[in-house]
Short mmCIF file of all heavy atoms in Angstrom, two decimals:
data_model
loop_
_atom_site.label_atom_id
_atom_site.label_comp_id
_atom_site.label_asym_id
_atom_site.label_seq_id
_atom_site.Cartn_x
_atom_site.Cartn_y
_atom_site.Cartn_z
N ALA V 80 -198.37 -24.64 -95.58
CA ALA V 80 -198.62 -23.67 -96.66
C ALA V 80 -198.38 -24.30 -98.02
O ALA V 80 -199.11 -24.06 -98.98
CB ALA V 80 -197.72 -22.45 -96.47
N TRP V 81 -197.32 -25.12 -98.11
CA TRP V 81 -197.02 -25.77 -99.38
C TRP V 81 -198.11 -26.75 -99.78
O TRP V 81 -198.52 -26.83 -100.94
CB TRP V 81 -195.68 -26.49 -99.29
CG TRP V 81 -195.37 -27.34 -100.50
CD1 TRP V 81 -195.18 -28.68 -100.52
CD2 TRP V 81 -195.22 -26.89 -101.84
NE1 TRP V 81 -194.93 -29.11 -101.80
CE2 TRP V 81 -194.95 -28.02 -102.63
CE3 TRP V 81 -195.30 -25.64 -102.45
CZ2 TRP V 81 -194.75 -27.95 -104.00
CZ3 TRP V 81 -195.11 -25.55 -103.82
CH2 TRP V 81 -194.84 -26.69 -104.58
N GLN V 82 -198.64 -27.50 -98.80
CA GLN V 82 -199.71 -28.45 -99.10
C GLN V 82 -200.95 -27.72 -99.60
O GLN V 82 -201.61 -28.15 -100.57
CB GLN V 82 -200.05 -29.25 -97.84
CG GLN V 82 -201.09 -30.36 -98.06
CD GLN V 82 -200.63 -31.35 -99.11
OE1 GLN V 82 -199.55 -31.93 -99.00
NE2 GLN V 82 -201.45 -31.56 -100.14
N HIS V 83 -201.27 -26.59 -98.95
CA HIS V 83 -202.43 -25.81 -99.37
C HIS V 83 -202.21 -25.24 -100.78
O HIS V 83 -203.13 -25.25 -101.62
CB HIS V 83 -202.68 -24.66 -98.38
CG HIS V 83 -203.77 -23.73 -98.80
ND1 HIS V 83 -205.10 -24.10 -98.83
CD2 HIS V 83 -203.73 -22.43 -99.23
CE1 HIS V 83 -205.84 -23.08 -99.24
NE2 HIS V 83 -205.03 -22.06 -99.49
N LEU V 84 -201.00 -24.74 -101.03
CA LEU V 84 -200.69 -24.17 -102.34
C LEU V 84 -200.75 -25.24 -103.43
O LEU V 84 -201.24 -24.99 -104.53
CB LEU V 84 -199.31 -23.52 -102.30
CG LEU V 84 -198.87 -22.76 -103.56
CD1 LEU V 84 -199.85 -21.63 -103.88
CD2 LEU V 84 -197.47 -22.19 -103.37
N GLN V 85 -200.28 -26.45 -103.11
CA GLN V 85 -200.35 -27.54 -104.07
C GLN V 85 -201.79 -27.86 -104.46
O GLN V 85 -202.10 -28.13 -105.62
CB GLN V 85 -199.68 -28.80 -103.49
CG GLN V 85 -198.18 -28.87 -103.72
CD GLN V 85 -197.63 -30.22 -103.34
OE1 GLN V 85 -197.87 -30.72 -102.25
NE2 GLN V 85 -196.89 -30.82 -104.26
N ASP V 86 -202.68 -27.83 -103.45
CA ASP V 86 -204.09 -28.10 -103.73
C ASP V 86 -204.67 -27.08 -104.70
O ASP V 86 -205.53 -27.39 -105.51
CB ASP V 86 -204.89 -28.09 -102.42
CG ASP V 86 -204.50 -29.24 -101.49
OD1 ASP V 86 -203.94 -30.22 -102.00
OD2 ASP V 86 -204.76 -29.12 -100.28
N VAL V 87 -204.16 -25.83 -104.61
CA VAL V 87 -204.68 -24.75 -105.46
C VAL V 87 -204.11 -24.84 -106.87
O VAL V 87 -204.84 -24.67 -107.86
CB VAL V 87 -204.34 -23.38 -104.83
CG1 VAL V 87 -204.74 -22.25 -105.79
CG2 VAL V 87 -205.04 -23.22 -103.49
N ILE V 88 -202.81 -25.12 -107.02
CA ILE V 88 -202.16 -25.03 -108.33
C ILE V 88 -202.01 -26.37 -109.04
O ILE V 88 -201.57 -26.40 -110.19
CB ILE V 88 -200.76 -24.38 -108.20
CG1 ILE V 88 -199.81 -25.26 -107.38
CG2 ILE V 88 -200.88 -22.99 -107.61
CD1 ILE V 88 -198.39 -24.70 -107.28
N SER V 89 -202.38 -27.47 -108.36
CA SER V 89 -202.16 -28.78 -108.97
C SER V 89 -202.97 -28.99 -110.25
O SER V 89 -202.61 -29.80 -111.10
CB SER V 89 -202.49 -29.89 -107.96
OG SER V 89 -203.86 -29.79 -107.56
N LEU V 90 -204.07 -28.26 -110.37
CA LEU V 90 -204.91 -28.42 -111.58
C LEU V 90 -204.36 -27.64 -112.77
O LEU V 90 -204.88 -27.76 -113.87
CB LEU V 90 -206.34 -27.96 -111.27
CG LEU V 90 -207.06 -28.71 -110.14
CD1 LEU V 90 -208.44 -28.11 -109.91
CD2 LEU V 90 -207.18 -30.20 -110.47
N SER V 91 -203.34 -26.83 -112.53
CA SER V 91 -202.77 -26.02 -113.61
C SER V 91 -201.36 -26.50 -113.92
O SER V 91 -200.52 -26.58 -113.02
CB SER V 91 -202.72 -24.53 -113.22
OG SER V 91 -204.01 -24.07 -112.91
N ALA V 92 -201.12 -26.83 -115.16
CA ALA V 92 -199.78 -27.25 -115.58
C ALA V 92 -199.47 -26.59 -116.91
O ALA V 92 -200.16 -26.82 -117.91
CB ALA V 92 -199.71 -28.76 -115.71
N PRO V 93 -198.46 -25.73 -117.00
CA PRO V 93 -198.14 -25.05 -118.26
C PRO V 93 -197.55 -26.01 -119.29
O PRO V 93 -196.92 -27.01 -118.94
CB PRO V 93 -197.10 -24.02 -117.83
CG PRO V 93 -196.47 -24.61 -116.61
CD PRO V 93 -197.55 -25.37 -115.91
N SER V 94 -197.74 -25.68 -120.53
CA SER V 94 -197.14 -26.46 -121.61
C SER V 94 -196.01 -25.66 -122.23
O SER V 94 -195.90 -24.45 -122.03
CB SER V 94 -198.18 -26.80 -122.67
OG SER V 94 -198.67 -25.62 -123.29
N ALA V 95 -195.17 -26.34 -122.99
CA ALA V 95 -193.98 -25.69 -123.55
C ALA V 95 -194.32 -24.54 -124.47
O ALA V 95 -193.55 -23.60 -124.63
CB ALA V 95 -193.14 -26.73 -124.28
N GLY V 96 -195.50 -24.55 -125.08
CA GLY V 96 -195.85 -23.50 -126.03
C GLY V 96 -196.51 -22.29 -125.41
O GLY V 96 -196.76 -21.29 -126.10
N ASP V 97 -196.79 -22.33 -124.13
CA ASP V 97 -197.45 -21.20 -123.46
C ASP V 97 -196.50 -20.03 -123.31
O ASP V 97 -195.30 -20.21 -123.08
CB ASP V 97 -197.95 -21.62 -122.08
CG ASP V 97 -199.14 -22.57 -122.15
OD1 ASP V 97 -199.78 -22.61 -123.21
OD2 ASP V 97 -199.40 -23.26 -121.15
N LYS V 98 -197.05 -18.82 -123.45
CA LYS V 98 -196.26 -17.61 -123.24
C LYS V 98 -196.08 -17.38 -121.75
O LYS V 98 -197.03 -17.43 -120.97
CB LYS V 98 -196.96 -16.41 -123.89
CG LYS V 98 -196.16 -15.11 -123.77
CD LYS V 98 -196.91 -13.95 -124.41
CE LYS V 98 -196.11 -12.65 -124.27
NZ LYS V 98 -196.84 -11.49 -124.85
N ASP V 99 -194.85 -17.13 -121.35
CA ASP V 99 -194.52 -16.93 -119.95
C ASP V 99 -194.06 -15.49 -119.76
O ASP V 99 -192.97 -15.11 -120.18
CB ASP V 99 -193.41 -17.90 -119.53
CG ASP V 99 -193.20 -17.92 -118.02
OD1 ASP V 99 -193.99 -17.30 -117.30
OD2 ASP V 99 -192.25 -18.58 -117.58
N ASP V 100 -194.91 -14.65 -119.16
CA ASP V 100 -194.59 -13.23 -119.04
C ASP V 100 -195.30 -12.65 -117.84
O ASP V 100 -196.23 -13.24 -117.28
CB ASP V 100 -195.03 -12.50 -120.32
CG ASP V 100 -194.27 -11.19 -120.52
OD1 ASP V 100 -193.46 -10.84 -119.64
OD2 ASP V 100 -194.48 -10.54 -121.55
N PHE V 101 -194.84 -11.47 -117.41
CA PHE V 101 -195.50 -10.76 -116.33
C PHE V 101 -196.73 -10.04 -116.86
O PHE V 101 -196.69 -9.45 -117.94
CB PHE V 101 -194.55 -9.73 -115.69
CG PHE V 101 -193.38 -10.35 -114.99
CD1 PHE V 101 -192.09 -10.25 -115.51
CD2 PHE V 101 -193.56 -11.04 -113.80
CE1 PHE V 101 -191.01 -10.81 -114.86
CE2 PHE V 101 -192.48 -11.61 -113.14
CZ PHE V 101 -191.21 -11.50 -113.68
N LEU V 102 -197.82 -10.08 -116.09
CA LEU V 102 -199.05 -9.39 -116.47
C LEU V 102 -199.48 -8.47 -115.33
O LEU V 102 -199.27 -8.78 -114.16
CB LEU V 102 -200.17 -10.39 -116.78
CG LEU V 102 -199.94 -11.34 -117.95
CD1 LEU V 102 -201.11 -12.33 -118.07
CD2 LEU V 102 -199.77 -10.58 -119.26
N TRP V 103 -200.06 -7.33 -115.69
CA TRP V 103 -200.56 -6.36 -114.72
C TRP V 103 -202.04 -6.62 -114.52
O TRP V 103 -202.84 -6.48 -115.44
CB TRP V 103 -200.32 -4.95 -115.26
CG TRP V 103 -200.69 -3.84 -114.32
CD1 TRP V 103 -201.76 -3.01 -114.40
CD2 TRP V 103 -199.96 -3.42 -113.17
NE1 TRP V 103 -201.76 -2.11 -113.38
CE2 TRP V 103 -200.65 -2.33 -112.60
CE3 TRP V 103 -198.78 -3.86 -112.57
CZ2 TRP V 103 -200.21 -1.68 -111.46
CZ3 TRP V 103 -198.34 -3.21 -111.43
CH2 TRP V 103 -199.05 -2.13 -110.89
N SER V 104 -202.42 -7.04 -113.31
CA SER V 104 -203.79 -7.50 -113.07
C SER V 104 -204.76 -6.39 -112.69
O SER V 104 -205.94 -6.66 -112.46
CB SER V 104 -203.78 -8.56 -111.96
OG SER V 104 -203.29 -8.00 -110.75
N LEU V 105 -204.31 -5.14 -112.63
CA LEU V 105 -205.17 -4.07 -112.14
C LEU V 105 -205.97 -3.37 -113.23
O LEU V 105 -206.68 -2.40 -112.96
CB LEU V 105 -204.33 -3.04 -111.37
CG LEU V 105 -203.61 -3.58 -110.13
CD1 LEU V 105 -202.85 -2.46 -109.43
CD2 LEU V 105 -204.57 -4.25 -109.16
N ASN V 106 -205.83 -3.81 -114.46
CA ASN V 106 -206.71 -3.30 -115.52
C ASN V 106 -206.94 -4.39 -116.56
O ASN V 106 -206.26 -5.42 -116.58
CB ASN V 106 -206.14 -2.02 -116.17
CG ASN V 106 -204.77 -2.25 -116.78
OD1 ASN V 106 -204.44 -3.36 -117.21
ND2 ASN V 106 -203.96 -1.20 -116.84
N SER V 107 -207.92 -4.17 -117.43
CA SER V 107 -208.32 -5.20 -118.39
C SER V 107 -207.27 -5.43 -119.47
O SER V 107 -207.20 -6.51 -120.06
CB SER V 107 -209.65 -4.81 -119.05
OG SER V 107 -209.55 -3.55 -119.69
N GLN V 108 -206.41 -4.43 -119.73
CA GLN V 108 -205.37 -4.58 -120.75
C GLN V 108 -204.17 -5.38 -120.23
O GLN V 108 -203.31 -5.79 -121.00
CB GLN V 108 -204.89 -3.21 -121.25
CG GLN V 108 -205.93 -2.41 -122.00
CD GLN V 108 -206.94 -1.75 -121.08
OE1 GLN V 108 -206.61 -1.44 -119.93
NE2 GLN V 108 -208.16 -1.57 -121.56
N GLU V 109 -204.12 -5.60 -118.92
CA GLU V 109 -203.04 -6.34 -118.27
C GLU V 109 -201.67 -5.72 -118.51
O GLU V 109 -200.65 -6.40 -118.57
CB GLU V 109 -203.05 -7.81 -118.71
CG GLU V 109 -204.32 -8.54 -118.31
CD GLU V 109 -204.30 -10.01 -118.68
OE1 GLU V 109 -203.65 -10.35 -119.70
OE2 GLU V 109 -204.91 -10.81 -117.95
N THR V 110 -201.66 -4.41 -118.67
CA THR V 110 -200.41 -3.66 -118.83
C THR V 110 -200.36 -2.56 -117.78
O THR V 110 -201.39 -1.98 -117.41
CB THR V 110 -200.28 -3.04 -120.24
OG1 THR V 110 -201.43 -2.21 -120.48
CG2 THR V 110 -200.18 -4.12 -121.29
N PHE V 111 -199.15 -2.23 -117.33
CA PHE V 111 -199.01 -1.23 -116.28
C PHE V 111 -199.40 0.16 -116.75
O PHE V 111 -199.03 0.60 -117.84
CB PHE V 111 -197.56 -1.19 -115.79
CG PHE V 111 -197.30 -0.07 -114.81
CD1 PHE V 111 -197.64 -0.20 -113.48
CD2 PHE V 111 -196.72 1.12 -115.23
CE1 PHE V 111 -197.41 0.83 -112.57
CE2 PHE V 111 -196.48 2.16 -114.34
CZ PHE V 111 -196.83 2.01 -113.01
#
Side-chain angles (χ1 to χ4, degrees):
W81 173 242
Q82 184 58 55
H83 175 69
L84 185 59
Q85 274 190 308
D86 294 339
V87 174
I88 65 177
S89 60
L90 301 178
S91 302
S94 63
D97 289 340
K98 183 181 180 182
D99 191 7
D100 203 356
F101 294 109
L102 297 177
W103 184 254
S104 62
L105 299 182
N106 59 29
S107 58
Q108 294 77 28
E109 297 183 329
T110 56
F111 173 80

